[in-house]
PDB file of all heavy atoms in Angstrom:
ATOM      1  N   PHE A   1      -9.555   2.119  -7.727  1.00 94.00           N
ATOM      2  CA  PHE A   1     -10.146   2.566  -6.464  1.00 94.00           C
ATOM      3  C   PHE A   1      -9.723   1.695  -5.287  1.00 94.00           C
ATOM      4  O   PHE A   1      -9.565   2.199  -4.173  1.00 94.00           O
ATOM      5  CB  PHE A   1     -11.670   2.651  -6.578  1.00 94.00           C
ATOM      6  CG  PHE A   1     -12.117   3.883  -7.306  1.00 94.00           C
ATOM      7  CD1 PHE A   1     -12.787   3.793  -8.513  1.00 94.00           C
ATOM      8  CD2 PHE A   1     -11.852   5.147  -6.794  1.00 94.00           C
ATOM      9  CE1 PHE A   1     -13.188   4.934  -9.191  1.00 94.00           C
ATOM     10  CE2 PHE A   1     -12.252   6.295  -7.464  1.00 94.00           C
ATOM     11  CZ  PHE A   1     -12.920   6.184  -8.665  1.00 94.00           C
ATOM     12  N   ASN A   2      -9.516   0.400  -5.532  1.00 94.00           N
ATOM     13  CA  ASN A   2      -9.017  -0.448  -4.433  1.00 94.00           C
ATOM     14  C   ASN A   2      -7.601  -0.045  -4.033  1.00 94.00           C
ATOM     15  O   ASN A   2      -7.270  -0.033  -2.842  1.00 94.00           O
ATOM     16  CB  ASN A   2      -9.075  -1.920  -4.819  1.00 94.00           C
ATOM     17  CG  ASN A   2     -10.479  -2.475  -4.744  1.00 94.00           C
ATOM     18  OD1 ASN A   2     -11.356  -1.892  -4.115  1.00 94.00           O
ATOM     19  ND2 ASN A   2     -10.699  -3.597  -5.385  1.00 94.00           N
ATOM     20  N   SER A   3      -6.777   0.302  -5.012  1.00 93.00           N
ATOM     21  CA  SER A   3      -5.420   0.779  -4.693  1.00 93.00           C
ATOM     22  C   SER A   3      -5.481   2.072  -3.900  1.00 93.00           C
ATOM     23  O   SER A   3      -4.736   2.256  -2.931  1.00 93.00           O
ATOM     24  CB  SER A   3      -4.616   1.008  -5.972  1.00 93.00           C
ATOM     25  OG  SER A   3      -4.406  -0.183  -6.651  1.00 93.00           O
ATOM     26  N   LEU A   4      -6.355   2.953  -4.303  1.00 93.00           N
ATOM     27  CA  LEU A   4      -6.520   4.218  -3.594  1.00 93.00           C
ATOM     28  C   LEU A   4      -7.018   3.979  -2.168  1.00 93.00           C
ATOM     29  O   LEU A   4      -6.514   4.585  -1.215  1.00 93.00           O
ATOM     30  CB  LEU A   4      -7.489   5.116  -4.360  1.00 93.00           C
ATOM     31  CG  LEU A   4      -7.611   6.564  -3.930  1.00 93.00           C
ATOM     32  CD1 LEU A   4      -6.253   7.253  -3.843  1.00 93.00           C
ATOM     33  CD2 LEU A   4      -8.501   7.318  -4.900  1.00 93.00           C
ATOM     34  N   LEU A   5      -7.972   3.063  -2.004  1.00 93.00           N
ATOM     35  CA  LEU A   5      -8.456   2.725  -0.661  1.00 93.00           C
ATOM     36  C   LEU A   5      -7.344   2.131   0.197  1.00 93.00           C
ATOM     37  O   LEU A   5      -7.233   2.460   1.384  1.00 93.00           O
ATOM     38  CB  LEU A   5      -9.608   1.723  -0.747  1.00 93.00           C
ATOM     39  CG  LEU A   5     -11.006   2.284  -0.865  1.00 93.00           C
ATOM     40  CD1 LEU A   5     -12.027   1.154  -0.914  1.00 93.00           C
ATOM     41  CD2 LEU A   5     -11.334   3.238   0.253  1.00 93.00           C
ATOM     42  N   ASP A   6      -6.540   1.246  -0.393  1.00 93.00           N
ATOM     43  CA  ASP A   6      -5.418   0.660   0.348  1.00 93.00           C
ATOM     44  C   ASP A   6      -4.476   1.749   0.844  1.00 93.00           C
ATOM     45  O   ASP A   6      -3.991   1.698   1.976  1.00 93.00           O
ATOM     46  CB  ASP A   6      -4.644  -0.340  -0.520  1.00 93.00           C
ATOM     47  CG  ASP A   6      -5.426  -1.618  -0.778  1.00 93.00           C
ATOM     48  OD1 ASP A   6      -6.427  -1.863  -0.068  1.00 93.00           O
ATOM     49  OD2 ASP A   6      -5.028  -2.359  -1.699  1.00 93.00           O
ATOM     50  N   GLU A   7      -4.222   2.734  -0.004  1.00 92.00           N
ATOM     51  CA  GLU A   7      -3.336   3.833   0.371  1.00 92.00           C
ATOM     52  C   GLU A   7      -3.950   4.674   1.487  1.00 92.00           C
ATOM     53  O   GLU A   7      -3.284   5.024   2.457  1.00 92.00           O
ATOM     54  CB  GLU A   7      -3.043   4.709  -0.851  1.00 92.00           C
ATOM     55  CG  GLU A   7      -1.974   5.743  -0.637  1.00 92.00           C
ATOM     56  CD  GLU A   7      -0.598   5.162  -0.374  1.00 92.00           C
ATOM     57  OE1 GLU A   7      -0.271   4.082  -0.896  1.00 92.00           O
ATOM     58  OE2 GLU A   7       0.162   5.801   0.383  1.00 92.00           O
ATOM     59  N   ILE A   8      -5.231   4.971   1.360  1.00 92.00           N
ATOM     60  CA  ILE A   8      -5.922   5.777   2.378  1.00 92.00           C
ATOM     61  C   ILE A   8      -5.938   5.066   3.727  1.00 92.00           C
ATOM     62  O   ILE A   8      -5.861   5.694   4.771  1.00 92.00           O
ATOM     63  CB  ILE A   8      -7.362   6.097   1.913  1.00 92.00           C
ATOM     64  CG1 ILE A   8      -7.328   7.128   0.790  1.00 92.00           C
ATOM     65  CG2 ILE A   8      -8.227   6.610   3.049  1.00 92.00           C
ATOM     66  CD1 ILE A   8      -8.672   7.382   0.141  1.00 92.00           C
ATOM     67  N   LYS A   9      -6.009   3.752   3.685  1.00 92.00           N
ATOM     68  CA  LYS A   9      -6.095   2.979   4.922  1.00 92.00           C
ATOM     69  C   LYS A   9      -4.717   2.541   5.440  1.00 92.00           C
ATOM     70  O   LYS A   9      -4.633   1.831   6.439  1.00 92.00           O
ATOM     71  CB  LYS A   9      -7.000   1.770   4.707  1.00 92.00           C
ATOM     72  CG  LYS A   9      -8.408   2.218   4.315  1.00 92.00           C
ATOM     73  CD  LYS A   9      -9.453   1.236   4.618  1.00 92.00           C
ATOM     74  CE  LYS A   9     -10.830   1.670   4.197  1.00 92.00           C
ATOM     75  NZ  LYS A   9     -11.263   2.971   4.528  1.00 92.00           N
ATOM     76  N   SER A  10      -3.662   2.999   4.788  1.00 93.00           N
ATOM     77  CA  SER A  10      -2.313   2.631   5.233  1.00 93.00           C
ATOM     78  C   SER A  10      -2.010   3.254   6.589  1.00 93.00           C
ATOM     79  O   SER A  10      -2.599   4.270   6.983  1.00 93.00           O
ATOM     80  CB  SER A  10      -1.268   3.078   4.206  1.00 93.00           C
ATOM     81  OG  SER A  10      -1.148   4.478   4.217  1.00 93.00           O
ATOM     82  N   SER A  11      -1.080   2.661   7.301  1.00 94.00           N
ATOM     83  CA  SER A  11      -0.748   3.150   8.648  1.00 94.00           C
ATOM     84  C   SER A  11      -0.188   4.572   8.600  1.00 94.00           C
ATOM     85  O   SER A  11      -0.467   5.383   9.485  1.00 94.00           O
ATOM     86  CB  SER A  11       0.235   2.202   9.333  1.00 94.00           C
ATOM     87  OG  SER A  11       1.435   2.127   8.595  1.00 94.00           O
ATOM     88  N   ARG A  12       0.557   4.894   7.571  1.00 93.00           N
ATOM     89  CA  ARG A  12       1.131   6.241   7.428  1.00 93.00           C
ATOM     90  C   ARG A  12       0.029   7.288   7.357  1.00 93.00           C
ATOM     91  O   ARG A  12       0.071   8.307   8.050  1.00 93.00           O
ATOM     92  CB  ARG A  12       2.012   6.267   6.167  1.00 93.00           C
ATOM     93  CG  ARG A  12       2.640   7.602   5.836  1.00 93.00           C
ATOM     94  CD  ARG A  12       3.512   7.478   4.589  1.00 93.00           C
ATOM     95  NE  ARG A  12       2.738   7.129   3.413  1.00 93.00           N
ATOM     96  CZ  ARG A  12       2.389   7.992   2.469  1.00 93.00           C
ATOM     97  NH1 ARG A  12       2.771   9.244   2.544  1.00 93.00           N
ATOM     98  NH2 ARG A  12       1.683   7.616   1.434  1.00 93.00           N
ATOM     99  N   VAL A  13      -0.964   7.041   6.525  1.00 93.00           N
ATOM    100  CA  VAL A  13      -2.066   7.992   6.379  1.00 93.00           C
ATOM    101  C   VAL A  13      -2.888   8.045   7.664  1.00 93.00           C
ATOM    102  O   VAL A  13      -3.270   9.125   8.123  1.00 93.00           O
ATOM    103  CB  VAL A  13      -2.951   7.632   5.160  1.00 93.00           C
ATOM    104  CG1 VAL A  13      -4.196   8.491   5.109  1.00 93.00           C
ATOM    105  CG2 VAL A  13      -2.151   7.768   3.871  1.00 93.00           C
ATOM    106  N   LYS A  14      -3.143   6.884   8.258  1.00 93.00           N
ATOM    107  CA  LYS A  14      -3.918   6.852   9.505  1.00 93.00           C
ATOM    108  C   LYS A  14      -3.239   7.658  10.610  1.00 93.00           C
ATOM    109  O   LYS A  14      -3.915   8.341  11.385  1.00 93.00           O
ATOM    110  CB  LYS A  14      -4.139   5.409   9.961  1.00 93.00           C
ATOM    111  CG  LYS A  14      -5.209   4.690   9.172  1.00 93.00           C
ATOM    112  CD  LYS A  14      -5.415   3.298   9.727  1.00 93.00           C
ATOM    113  CE  LYS A  14      -6.540   2.592   9.006  1.00 93.00           C
ATOM    114  NZ  LYS A  14      -6.783   1.250   9.521  1.00 93.00           N
ATOM    115  N   LYS A  15      -1.918   7.588  10.679  1.00 93.00           N
ATOM    116  CA  LYS A  15      -1.182   8.352  11.702  1.00 93.00           C
ATOM    117  C   LYS A  15      -1.369   9.854  11.486  1.00 93.00           C
ATOM    118  O   LYS A  15      -1.620  10.608  12.426  1.00 93.00           O
ATOM    119  CB  LYS A  15       0.308   8.005  11.668  1.00 93.00           C
ATOM    120  CG  LYS A  15       0.631   6.659  12.263  1.00 93.00           C
ATOM    121  CD  LYS A  15       2.108   6.339  12.108  1.00 93.00           C
ATOM    122  CE  LYS A  15       2.380   4.900  12.507  1.00 93.00           C
ATOM    123  NZ  LYS A  15       3.740   4.475  12.186  1.00 93.00           N
ATOM    124  N   ILE A  16      -1.238  10.270  10.242  1.00 93.00           N
ATOM    125  CA  ILE A  16      -1.391  11.702   9.937  1.00 93.00           C
ATOM    126  C   ILE A  16      -2.807  12.164  10.269  1.00 93.00           C
ATOM    127  O   ILE A  16      -2.997  13.222  10.887  1.00 93.00           O
ATOM    128  CB  ILE A  16      -1.033  11.977   8.450  1.00 93.00           C
ATOM    129  CG1 ILE A  16       0.471  11.773   8.244  1.00 93.00           C
ATOM    130  CG2 ILE A  16      -1.465  13.377   8.036  1.00 93.00           C
ATOM    131  CD1 ILE A  16       0.918  11.826   6.804  1.00 93.00           C
ATOM    132  N   ILE A  17      -3.792  11.370   9.901  1.00 92.00           N
ATOM    133  CA  ILE A  17      -5.188  11.736  10.171  1.00 92.00           C
ATOM    134  C   ILE A  17      -5.444  11.792  11.680  1.00 92.00           C
ATOM    135  O   ILE A  17      -6.107  12.713  12.166  1.00 92.00           O
ATOM    136  CB  ILE A  17      -6.164  10.763   9.476  1.00 92.00           C
ATOM    137  CG1 ILE A  17      -5.995  10.822   7.955  1.00 92.00           C
ATOM    138  CG2 ILE A  17      -7.608  11.023   9.882  1.00 92.00           C
ATOM    139  CD1 ILE A  17      -6.176  12.177   7.325  1.00 92.00           C
ATOM    140  N   SER A  18      -4.895  10.848  12.417  1.00 92.00           N
ATOM    141  CA  SER A  18      -5.125  10.863  13.871  1.00 92.00           C
ATOM    142  C   SER A  18      -4.451  12.071  14.532  1.00 92.00           C
ATOM    143  O   SER A  18      -5.001  12.662  15.464  1.00 92.00           O
ATOM    144  CB  SER A  18      -4.684   9.551  14.519  1.00 92.00           C
ATOM    145  OG  SER A  18      -3.305   9.356  14.360  1.00 92.00           O
ATOM    146  N   ILE A  19      -3.292  12.477  14.040  1.00 91.00           N
ATOM    147  CA  ILE A  19      -2.629  13.685  14.567  1.00 91.00           C
ATOM    148  C   ILE A  19      -3.506  14.907  14.289  1.00 91.00           C
ATOM    149  O   ILE A  19      -3.711  15.756  15.163  1.00 91.00           O
ATOM    150  CB  ILE A  19      -1.219  13.864  13.959  1.00 91.00           C
ATOM    151  CG1 ILE A  19      -0.278  12.776  14.465  1.00 91.00           C
ATOM    152  CG2 ILE A  19      -0.662  15.251  14.268  1.00 91.00           C
ATOM    153  CD1 ILE A  19       1.044  12.685  13.720  1.00 91.00           C
ATOM    154  N   LEU A  20      -4.043  14.976  13.079  1.00 91.00           N
ATOM    155  CA  LEU A  20      -4.900  16.111  12.724  1.00 91.00           C
ATOM    156  C   LEU A  20      -6.230  16.080  13.492  1.00 91.00           C
ATOM    157  O   LEU A  20      -6.791  17.133  13.803  1.00 91.00           O
ATOM    158  CB  LEU A  20      -5.140  16.151  11.221  1.00 91.00           C
ATOM    159  CG  LEU A  20      -3.906  16.497  10.376  1.00 91.00           C
ATOM    160  CD1 LEU A  20      -4.233  16.433   8.891  1.00 91.00           C
ATOM    161  CD2 LEU A  20      -3.342  17.854  10.750  1.00 91.00           C
ATOM    162  N   GLN A  21      -6.712  14.893  13.809  1.00 91.00           N
ATOM    163  CA  GLN A  21      -7.922  14.793  14.629  1.00 91.00           C
ATOM    164  C   GLN A  21      -7.654  15.344  16.031  1.00 91.00           C
ATOM    165  O   GLN A  21      -8.470  16.085  16.573  1.00 91.00           O
ATOM    166  CB  GLN A  21      -8.396  13.342  14.725  1.00 91.00           C
ATOM    167  CG  GLN A  21      -9.107  12.865  13.484  1.00 91.00           C
ATOM    168  CD  GLN A  21      -9.413  11.381  13.511  1.00 91.00           C
ATOM    169  OE1 GLN A  21      -8.739  10.597  14.170  1.00 91.00           O
ATOM    170  NE2 GLN A  21     -10.443  10.984  12.758  1.00 91.00           N
ATOM    171  N   ALA A  22      -6.510  14.980  16.578  1.00 92.00           N
ATOM    172  CA  ALA A  22      -6.146  15.478  17.910  1.00 92.00           C
ATOM    173  C   ALA A  22      -6.005  16.999  17.901  1.00 92.00           C
ATOM    174  O   ALA A  22      -6.332  17.665  18.883  1.00 92.00           O
ATOM    175  CB  ALA A  22      -4.853  14.824  18.374  1.00 92.00           C
ATOM    176  N   ALA A  23      -5.541  17.538  16.772  1.00 91.00           N
ATOM    177  CA  ALA A  23      -5.363  18.992  16.651  1.00 91.00           C
ATOM    178  C   ALA A  23      -6.665  19.683  16.215  1.00 91.00           C
ATOM    179  O   ALA A  23      -6.684  20.901  16.067  1.00 91.00           O
ATOM    180  CB  ALA A  23      -4.252  19.294  15.648  1.00 91.00           C
ATOM    181  N   ARG A  24      -7.730  18.894  16.000  1.00 92.00           N
ATOM    182  CA  ARG A  24      -9.027  19.419  15.554  1.00 92.00           C
ATOM    183  C   ARG A  24      -8.899  20.240  14.267  1.00 92.00           C
ATOM    184  O   ARG A  24      -9.424  21.347  14.150  1.00 92.00           O
ATOM    185  CB  ARG A  24      -9.697  20.237  16.647  1.00 92.00           C
ATOM    186  CG  ARG A  24      -9.966  19.453  17.906  1.00 92.00           C
ATOM    187  CD  ARG A  24     -10.822  20.273  18.862  1.00 92.00           C
ATOM    188  NE  ARG A  24     -10.908  19.694  20.184  1.00 92.00           N
ATOM    189  CZ  ARG A  24     -11.723  18.708  20.536  1.00 92.00           C
ATOM    190  NH1 ARG A  24     -12.499  18.155  19.650  1.00 92.00           N
ATOM    191  NH2 ARG A  24     -11.752  18.275  21.773  1.00 92.00           N
ATOM    192  N   SER A  25      -8.193  19.661  13.309  1.00 90.00           N
ATOM    193  CA  SER A  25      -7.946  20.341  12.035  1.00 90.00           C
ATOM    194  C   SER A  25      -9.218  20.429  11.197  1.00 90.00           C
ATOM    195  O   SER A  25     -10.015  19.497  11.137  1.00 90.00           O
ATOM    196  CB  SER A  25      -6.874  19.585  11.248  1.00 90.00           C
ATOM    197  OG  SER A  25      -6.767  20.099   9.953  1.00 90.00           O
ATOM    198  N   LYS A  26      -9.376  21.560  10.531  1.00 91.00           N
ATOM    199  CA  LYS A  26     -10.529  21.765   9.649  1.00 91.00           C
ATOM    200  C   LYS A  26     -10.357  21.050   8.299  1.00 91.00           C
ATOM    201  O   LYS A  26     -11.300  20.960   7.529  1.00 91.00           O
ATOM    202  CB  LYS A  26     -10.752  23.259   9.426  1.00 91.00           C
ATOM    203  CG  LYS A  26     -11.198  23.979  10.693  1.00 91.00           C
ATOM    204  CD  LYS A  26     -11.604  25.400  10.369  1.00 91.00           C
ATOM    205  CE  LYS A  26     -11.898  26.259  11.551  1.00 91.00           C
ATOM    206  NZ  LYS A  26     -12.621  25.695  12.645  1.00 91.00           N
ATOM    207  N   THR A  27      -9.158  20.564   8.009  1.00 90.00           N
ATOM    208  CA  THR A  27      -8.935  19.862   6.735  1.00 90.00           C
ATOM    209  C   THR A  27      -9.565  18.465   6.742  1.00 90.00           C
ATOM    210  O   THR A  27      -9.659  17.834   5.687  1.00 90.00           O
ATOM    211  CB  THR A  27      -7.429  19.715   6.427  1.00 90.00           C
ATOM    212  OG1 THR A  27      -6.810  18.986   7.492  1.00 90.00           O
ATOM    213  CG2 THR A  27      -6.766  21.062   6.242  1.00 90.00           C
ATOM    214  N   LEU A  28      -9.989  18.002   7.899  1.00 91.00           N
ATOM    215  CA  LEU A  28     -10.515  16.638   7.983  1.00 91.00           C
ATOM    216  C   LEU A  28     -11.929  16.490   7.426  1.00 91.00           C
ATOM    217  O   LEU A  28     -12.286  15.418   6.953  1.00 91.00           O
ATOM    218  CB  LEU A  28     -10.470  16.136   9.430  1.00 91.00           C
ATOM    219  CG  LEU A  28      -9.064  15.885   9.961  1.00 91.00           C
ATOM    220  CD1 LEU A  28      -9.116  15.366  11.374  1.00 91.00           C
ATOM    221  CD2 LEU A  28      -8.307  14.908   9.071  1.00 91.00           C
ATOM    222  N   LYS A  29     -12.712  17.555   7.459  1.00 92.00           N
ATOM    223  CA  LYS A  29     -14.085  17.452   6.943  1.00 92.00           C
ATOM    224  C   LYS A  29     -14.093  17.091   5.451  1.00 92.00           C
ATOM    225  O   LYS A  29     -14.738  16.119   5.055  1.00 92.00           O
ATOM    226  CB  LYS A  29     -14.868  18.735   7.215  1.00 92.00           C
ATOM    227  CG  LYS A  29     -16.324  18.615   6.844  1.00 92.00           C
ATOM    228  CD  LYS A  29     -17.102  19.857   7.175  1.00 92.00           C
ATOM    229  CE  LYS A  29     -18.545  19.652   6.740  1.00 92.00           C
ATOM    230  NZ  LYS A  29     -19.339  20.853   6.916  1.00 92.00           N
ATOM    231  N   PRO A  30     -13.356  17.851   4.606  1.00 93.00           N
ATOM    232  CA  PRO A  30     -13.330  17.443   3.188  1.00 93.00           C
ATOM    233  C   PRO A  30     -12.656  16.083   2.983  1.00 93.00           C
ATOM    234  O   PRO A  30     -13.030  15.319   2.090  1.00 93.00           O
ATOM    235  CB  PRO A  30     -12.549  18.551   2.485  1.00 93.00           C
ATOM    236  CG  PRO A  30     -12.063  19.490   3.523  1.00 93.00           C
ATOM    237  CD  PRO A  30     -12.668  19.110   4.827  1.00 93.00           C
ATOM    238  N   TRP A  31     -11.685  15.770   3.813  1.00 92.00           N
ATOM    239  CA  TRP A  31     -10.995  14.483   3.717  1.00 92.00           C
ATOM    240  C   TRP A  31     -11.971  13.338   3.958  1.00 92.00           C
ATOM    241  O   TRP A  31     -12.012  12.365   3.207  1.00 92.00           O
ATOM    242  CB  TRP A  31      -9.835  14.423   4.716  1.00 92.00           C
ATOM    243  CG  TRP A  31      -9.205  13.077   4.776  1.00 92.00           C
ATOM    244  CD1 TRP A  31      -9.402  12.111   5.716  1.00 92.00           C
ATOM    245  CD2 TRP A  31      -8.296  12.509   3.827  1.00 92.00           C
ATOM    246  NE1 TRP A  31      -8.674  10.995   5.417  1.00 92.00           N
ATOM    247  CE2 TRP A  31      -7.991  11.219   4.264  1.00 92.00           C
ATOM    248  CE3 TRP A  31      -7.717  12.992   2.660  1.00 92.00           C
ATOM    249  CZ2 TRP A  31      -7.116  10.394   3.568  1.00 92.00           C
ATOM    250  CZ3 TRP A  31      -6.856  12.155   1.963  1.00 92.00           C
ATOM    251  CH2 TRP A  31      -6.563  10.876   2.424  1.00 92.00           C
ATOM    252  N   LYS A  32     -12.772  13.444   5.015  1.00 92.00           N
ATOM    253  CA  LYS A  32     -13.735  12.385   5.349  1.00 92.00           C
ATOM    254  C   LYS A  32     -14.783  12.242   4.250  1.00 92.00           C
ATOM    255  O   LYS A  32     -15.202  11.127   3.924  1.00 92.00           O
ATOM    256  CB  LYS A  32     -14.398  12.671   6.693  1.00 92.00           C
ATOM    257  CG  LYS A  32     -13.471  12.430   7.862  1.00 92.00           C
ATOM    258  CD  LYS A  32     -14.143  12.716   9.184  1.00 92.00           C
ATOM    259  CE  LYS A  32     -13.152  12.494  10.325  1.00 92.00           C
ATOM    260  NZ  LYS A  32     -13.706  12.871  11.618  1.00 92.00           N
ATOM    261  N   GLU A  33     -15.202  13.363   3.668  1.00 93.00           N
ATOM    262  CA  GLU A  33     -16.178  13.324   2.585  1.00 93.00           C
ATOM    263  C   GLU A  33     -15.597  12.578   1.380  1.00 93.00           C
ATOM    264  O   GLU A  33     -16.240  11.715   0.786  1.00 93.00           O
ATOM    265  CB  GLU A  33     -16.580  14.758   2.212  1.00 93.00           C
ATOM    266  CG  GLU A  33     -17.649  14.854   1.143  1.00 93.00           C
ATOM    267  CD  GLU A  33     -17.092  15.279  -0.204  1.00 93.00           C
ATOM    268  OE1 GLU A  33     -16.058  15.963  -0.237  1.00 93.00           O
ATOM    269  OE2 GLU A  33     -17.668  14.886  -1.230  1.00 93.00           O
ATOM    270  N   LEU A  34     -14.345  12.863   1.047  1.00 92.00           N
ATOM    271  CA  LEU A  34     -13.697  12.182  -0.088  1.00 92.00           C
ATOM    272  C   LEU A  34     -13.460  10.707   0.215  1.00 92.00           C
ATOM    273  O   LEU A  34     -13.610   9.860  -0.672  1.00 92.00           O
ATOM    274  CB  LEU A  34     -12.369  12.862  -0.429  1.00 92.00           C
ATOM    275  CG  LEU A  34     -12.491  14.178  -1.167  1.00 92.00           C
ATOM    276  CD1 LEU A  34     -11.113  14.803  -1.365  1.00 92.00           C
ATOM    277  CD2 LEU A  34     -13.160  13.992  -2.515  1.00 92.00           C
ATOM    278  N   ASP A  35     -13.101  10.410   1.441  1.00 92.00           N
ATOM    279  CA  ASP A  35     -12.900   9.020   1.852  1.00 92.00           C
ATOM    280  C   ASP A  35     -14.199   8.236   1.619  1.00 92.00           C
ATOM    281  O   ASP A  35     -14.181   7.123   1.080  1.00 92.00           O
ATOM    282  CB  ASP A  35     -12.486   8.970   3.325  1.00 92.00           C
ATOM    283  CG  ASP A  35     -12.104   7.576   3.795  1.00 92.00           C
ATOM    284  OD1 ASP A  35     -12.013   6.652   2.963  1.00 92.00           O
ATOM    285  OD2 ASP A  35     -11.887   7.410   5.008  1.00 92.00           O
ATOM    286  N   GLY A  36     -15.322   8.830   1.972  1.00 93.00           N
ATOM    287  CA  GLY A  36     -16.616   8.187   1.749  1.00 93.00           C
ATOM    288  C   GLY A  36     -16.916   8.005   0.275  1.00 93.00           C
ATOM    289  O   GLY A  36     -17.418   6.957  -0.141  1.00 93.00           O
ATOM    290  N   ARG A  37     -16.617   9.026  -0.522  1.00 93.00           N
ATOM    291  CA  ARG A  37     -16.871   8.937  -1.970  1.00 93.00           C
ATOM    292  C   ARG A  37     -15.995   7.863  -2.616  1.00 93.00           C
ATOM    293  O   ARG A  37     -16.453   7.146  -3.519  1.00 93.00           O
ATOM    294  CB  ARG A  37     -16.630  10.289  -2.634  1.00 93.00           C
ATOM    295  CG  ARG A  37     -17.756  11.287  -2.326  1.00 93.00           C
ATOM    296  CD  ARG A  37     -17.519  12.646  -2.931  1.00 93.00           C
ATOM    297  NE  ARG A  37     -17.393  12.598  -4.380  1.00 93.00           N
ATOM    298  CZ  ARG A  37     -16.887  13.577  -5.112  1.00 93.00           C
ATOM    299  NH1 ARG A  37     -16.465  14.693  -4.541  1.00 93.00           N
ATOM    300  NH2 ARG A  37     -16.801  13.456  -6.430  1.00 93.00           N
ATOM    301  N   ILE A  38     -14.751   7.765  -2.183  1.00 94.00           N
ATOM    302  CA  ILE A  38     -13.855   6.726  -2.714  1.00 94.00           C
ATOM    303  C   ILE A  38     -14.381   5.341  -2.350  1.00 94.00           C
ATOM    304  O   ILE A  38     -14.384   4.417  -3.170  1.00 94.00           O
ATOM    305  CB  ILE A  38     -12.409   6.912  -2.184  1.00 94.00           C
ATOM    306  CG1 ILE A  38     -11.783   8.174  -2.763  1.00 94.00           C
ATOM    307  CG2 ILE A  38     -11.547   5.691  -2.456  1.00 94.00           C
ATOM    308  CD1 ILE A  38     -11.525   8.127  -4.249  1.00 94.00           C
ATOM    309  N   THR A  39     -14.834   5.187  -1.128  1.00 94.00           N
ATOM    310  CA  THR A  39     -15.375   3.900  -0.685  1.00 94.00           C
ATOM    311  C   THR A  39     -16.595   3.520  -1.525  1.00 94.00           C
ATOM    312  O   THR A  39     -16.716   2.373  -1.973  1.00 94.00           O
ATOM    313  CB  THR A  39     -15.745   3.957   0.813  1.00 94.00           C
ATOM    314  OG1 THR A  39     -14.561   4.282   1.556  1.00 94.00           O
ATOM    315  CG2 THR A  39     -16.304   2.638   1.303  1.00 94.00           C
ATOM    316  N   ILE A  40     -17.476   4.475  -1.770  1.00 94.00           N
ATOM    317  CA  ILE A  40     -18.659   4.214  -2.600  1.00 94.00           C
ATOM    318  C   ILE A  40     -18.244   3.837  -4.020  1.00 94.00           C
ATOM    319  O   ILE A  40     -18.767   2.878  -4.599  1.00 94.00           O
ATOM    320  CB  ILE A  40     -19.603   5.429  -2.598  1.00 94.00           C
ATOM    321  CG1 ILE A  40     -20.264   5.566  -1.227  1.00 94.00           C
ATOM    322  CG2 ILE A  40     -20.662   5.310  -3.703  1.00 94.00           C
ATOM    323  CD1 ILE A  40     -20.994   6.887  -1.024  1.00 94.00           C
ATOM    324  N   ALA A  41     -17.293   4.569  -4.597  1.00 94.00           N
ATOM    325  CA  ALA A  41     -16.830   4.280  -5.963  1.00 94.00           C
ATOM    326  C   ALA A  41     -16.193   2.893  -6.041  1.00 94.00           C
ATOM    327  O   ALA A  41     -16.412   2.156  -7.012  1.00 94.00           O
ATOM    328  CB  ALA A  41     -15.848   5.347  -6.426  1.00 94.00           C
ATOM    329  N   ALA A  42     -15.408   2.522  -5.033  1.00 95.00           N
ATOM    330  CA  ALA A  42     -14.781   1.197  -5.007  1.00 95.00           C
ATOM    331  C   ALA A  42     -15.846   0.108  -4.891  1.00 95.00           C
ATOM    332  O   ALA A  42     -15.773  -0.918  -5.576  1.00 95.00           O
ATOM    333  CB  ALA A  42     -13.785   1.101  -3.855  1.00 95.00           C
ATOM    334  N   ASN A  43     -16.844   0.327  -4.043  1.00 96.00           N
ATOM    335  CA  ASN A  43     -17.927  -0.652  -3.890  1.00 96.00           C
ATOM    336  C   ASN A  43     -18.733  -0.789  -5.174  1.00 96.00           C
ATOM    337  O   ASN A  43     -19.110  -1.895  -5.567  1.00 96.00           O
ATOM    338  CB  ASN A  43     -18.845  -0.262  -2.730  1.00 96.00           C
ATOM    339  CG  ASN A  43     -18.195  -0.465  -1.385  1.00 96.00           C
ATOM    340  OD1 ASN A  43     -17.222  -1.202  -1.249  1.00 96.00           O
ATOM    341  ND2 ASN A  43     -18.707   0.216  -0.370  1.00 96.00           N
TER     342      ASN A  43
END
């Protein structure tokens, strides 16, 4: 889970997410939910 978190927090992923945020993409809602679940599992 720490490896997965490192990947999610990488600059490459952050750039893609920020582009999709600017475009108001609907794919971000499930993404944010999974990001939270991964963080909880890692903790």
